[in-house]
Amino acid sequence: MLKVGKSLAIWCDEREMDGLNIHLFDFDLSAEQEARAKRLHEESIIIDMLFQGPMSPVNFTEEVTEELKKRCERFVNDPSEYVFQIMLESSNMAARGELPEFKESWLLSGITAGNRQISGGKDSRSMEESIKYLTAVQQQFDSFDWLLKATKGEHIRQAKREGKVAGMVTTQDTAWLGTNLDNLEMMYKFGLRVVQLTYNMHNHVGSGCTERNDAGISNFGVKFIKRMNELGILVDTGHTGRQSTLDACEISDAPVIASHTACKDVSGHARGKDDFTLEAIAKTGGVIGLVTVPQFLNQEKERPDMNDFLDHVDHLVKLVGVEHVGIGTDWPMNMPLFVQELIATKIAPTIGFRKEDKLPSTDSLLGFEQYIEAINITRGLVSRGYKDEEIKLILGENWMRVIEKVW
């Protein structure tokens, strides 16, 4: 079970507090500001467009971690497959009710909707591997009456009304879909509603953000984006290269988003997007989700914190307007710490992260070390002086606008 400190009393009653451990970041808020933040967090639809959670490394007990190692031991000599199988098995354990922290973390975080991601394993670009994860995602929907599968905006609003949460089926790459556009339509029928055009590297659609050249969208990619528009799938450019992102903004008939990125002009990191590209996304009517990945937000600090995240919020609001800013945390990962270490040391270099990109580490953002600390985002926005309606837009209503337009 999760552990909680008494400092959370302003947020939870004694029953909810039993077993939780949460850090309220020190924003030096007054009692009135704390009460306002609490109200806003409870009232708002909160959407995380890259929701790795709901659990975080600190939520995986030693007992659960050892059980996962035992069940996946036969894959230990192949790091990529080992990581994939552990992620798959932890998802299955959650669906079977073996991880009560899964439900606790999500419901107490206050996050109304988060994506349920179709991922690959040893070969993340194969349909076979991705379908294995797809079935694990569906098992979650089938197992929990408190988790709704969101294929239209009303499902998210329904979840909020009923005190439940919603999951949005997404993918971070298109390579596994191949070059048969019927595969995209098949996945749409399953519930796929957000598709990132490329990960870090080239694929059939276009180029990623850490490729050595910036090739843009391919001829096939034009057809792919047009089919996404026809079906009603959000065009996501989170990891997509600069020219591919700009191309997508010109090609798409619907708003283009970046589900999870950072402001490159603030941090200088390759996973961020420069101001010109961010403006292009906003001009389509799209939304930019900001990450909580520490090194993407600040490459100079030894331990970035919530203020670094808020610096990116402020920059983006001034650049494109509050109507185009959202959340796409992408961190921390929904896995034991040792798996996150394997990804940082063994997997990241194989999926387009370079040494100069400061490979994803095992650190988490101070003030956002687990998803239940999403309240710190709301508290931080209060601390920066945003109005109630602006905070609600950033927390989720901006995402709702594009979801209801496209889906």
Side-chain angles (χ1 to χ4, degrees):
M1 303 292 285
L2 306 171
K3 306 270 181 194
V4 131
K6 292 293 179 183
S7 62
L8 192 60
I10 191 169
W11 296 94
C12 301
D13 61 29
E14 292 299 320
R15 177 186 58 79
E16 291 174 326
M17 285 174 59
D18 182 31
L20 287 174
N21 188 8
I22 183 171
H23 171 64
L24 292 181
F25 191 81
D26 185 10
F27 290 116
D28 195 27
L29 299 181
S30 67
E32 182 180 359
Q33 288 175 311
E34 290 283 12
R36 177 175 165 238
K38 178 179 185 293
R39 173 181 58 80
L40 284 167
H41 200 76
E42 291 174 346
E43 290 178 356
S44 301
I45 286 179
I46 303 175
I47 298 176
D48 187 346
M49 197 54 83
L50 207 295
F51 182 60
Q52 297 284 8
M55 293 175 66
S56 309
V58 296
N59 304 144
F60 283 84
T61 65
E62 184 176 342
E63 181 181 9
V64 168
T65 298
E66 290 305 312
E67 181 62 24
L68 282 169
K69 287 181 178 179
K70 180 181 177 181
R71 295 184 187 185
C72 302
E73 184 178 10
R74 66 187 184 278
F75 304 106
V76 72
N77 292 324
D78 185 336
S80 294
E81 188 66 16
Y82 186 46
V83 167
F84 172 69
Q85 292 296 334
I86 286 179
M87 292 171 66
L88 195 64
E89 181 57 25
S90 63
S91 178
N92 292 335
M93 288 177 70
R96 292 193 295 266
E98 297 173 17
L99 299 177
E101 295 88 352
F102 187 90
K103 179 179 180 180
E104 293 174 358
S105 296
W106 199 329
L107 296 184
L108 288 174
S109 72
I111 295 173
T112 314
N115 64 310
R116 299 289 80 194
Q117 186 170 231
I118 300 174
S119 302
K122 182 176 181 180
D123 181 2
S124 62
R125 298 185 162 206
S126 81
M127 175 71 80
E128 181 182 356
E129 291 291 333
S130 295
I131 286 178
K132 290 178 184 177
Y133 214 89
L134 181 151
T135 57
V137 167
Q138 185 58 44
Q139 188 180 9
Q140 290 183 10
F141 291 122
D142 292 341
S143 300
F144 303 132
D145 59 6
W146 51 268
L147 175 61
L148 304 181
K149 188 179 192 178
T151 57
K152 57 184 179 180
E154 174 54 27
H155 292 150
I156 298 174
R157 296 198 184 278
Q158 176 188 348
K160 182 65 177 178
R161 288 194 304 269
E162 297 179 359
K164 298 178 180 180
V165 295
M168 304 168 289
V169 182
T170 69
T171 183
Q172 285 202 66
D173 203 351
T174 56
W176 63 279
L177 290 163
T179 56
N180 184 346
L181 292 176
D182 290 342
N183 287 337
L184 180 63
E185 185 166 353
M186 177 177 65
M187 289 300 104
Y188 174 82
K189 291 176 181 177
F190 169 77
L192 184 63
R193 290 296 182 272
V194 182
V195 172
Q196 185 173 262
L197 299 178
T198 68
Y199 198 65
N200 294 333
M201 302 179 290
H202 284 309
N203 62 24
H204 295 299
V205 169
S207 59
C209 63
T210 61
E211 272 288 357
R212 62 179 296 273
N213 54 24
D214 194 17
I217 295 296
S218 67
N219 290 336
F220 171 75
V222 174
K223 297 177 183 178
F224 193 94
I225 291 170
K226 291 297 186 183
R227 181 64 70 88
M228 289 175 69
N229 290 162
E230 292 168 5
L231 291 170
I233 298 175
L234 272 168
V235 177
D236 180 14
T237 63
H239 281 254
T240 303
R242 185 179 192 271
Q243 189 57 53
S244 292
T245 300
L246 295 174
D247 287 353
C249 290
E250 289 188 10
I251 295 163
S252 178
D253 298 322
V256 171
I257 69 167
S259 62
H260 61 302
T261 190
C263 302
K264 191 173 184 178
D265 287 20
V266 175
S267 65
H269 201 284
R271 265 289 285 112
K273 295 191 182 296
D274 62 47
D275 285 357
F276 185 83
T277 306
L278 294 170
E279 288 177 313
I281 293 170
K283 286 176 183 176
T284 71
V287 176
I288 298 108
L290 291 171
V291 298
T292 54
V293 184
Q295 69 270 29
F296 294 173
L297 298 174
N298 190 318
Q299 298 187 79
E300 307 301 324
K301 262 188 186 178
E302 183 176 346
R303 188 76 190 275
D305 59 43
M306 281 300 299
N307 282 313
D308 297 293
F309 170 81
L310 293 167
D311 287 345
H312 284 252
V313 173
D314 289 346
H315 178 84
L316 196 52
V317 168
K318 290 175 184 175
L319 180 70
V320 299
V322 70
E323 298 84 1
H324 301 286
V325 182
I327 300 167
T329 61
D330 195 27
W331 211 255
M333 301 293 281
N334 185 65
M335 59 185 63
L337 184 60
F338 86 94
V339 183
Q340 195 162 304
E341 291 170 345
L342 277 174
I343 289 176
T345 58
K346 302 291 186 181
I347 311 302
T350 71
I351 56 175
F353 285 104
R354 307 159 301 186
K355 288 184 178 179
E356 60 265 35
D357 299 323
K358 297 188 176 179
L359 301 178
S361 69
T362 57
D363 286 339
S364 54
L365 194 69
L366 280 174
F368 200 83
E369 297 174 89
Q370 50 182 327
Y371 281 93
I372 199 168
E373 293 174 353
I375 53 177
N376 284 330
I377 296 176
T378 306
R379 294 173 67 243
L381 293 172
V382 168
S383 77
R384 293 292 173 106
Y386 288 99
K387 299 175 183 177
D388 283 16
E389 57 269 28
E390 293 173 328
I391 292 174
K392 288 186 176 183
L393 287 174
I394 295 170
L395 290 179
E397 288 298 338
N398 285 333
W399 285 129
M400 285 301 303
R401 182 184 72 250
V402 296
I403 285 170
E404 290 176 328
K405 181 177 179 62
V406 175
W407 294 1

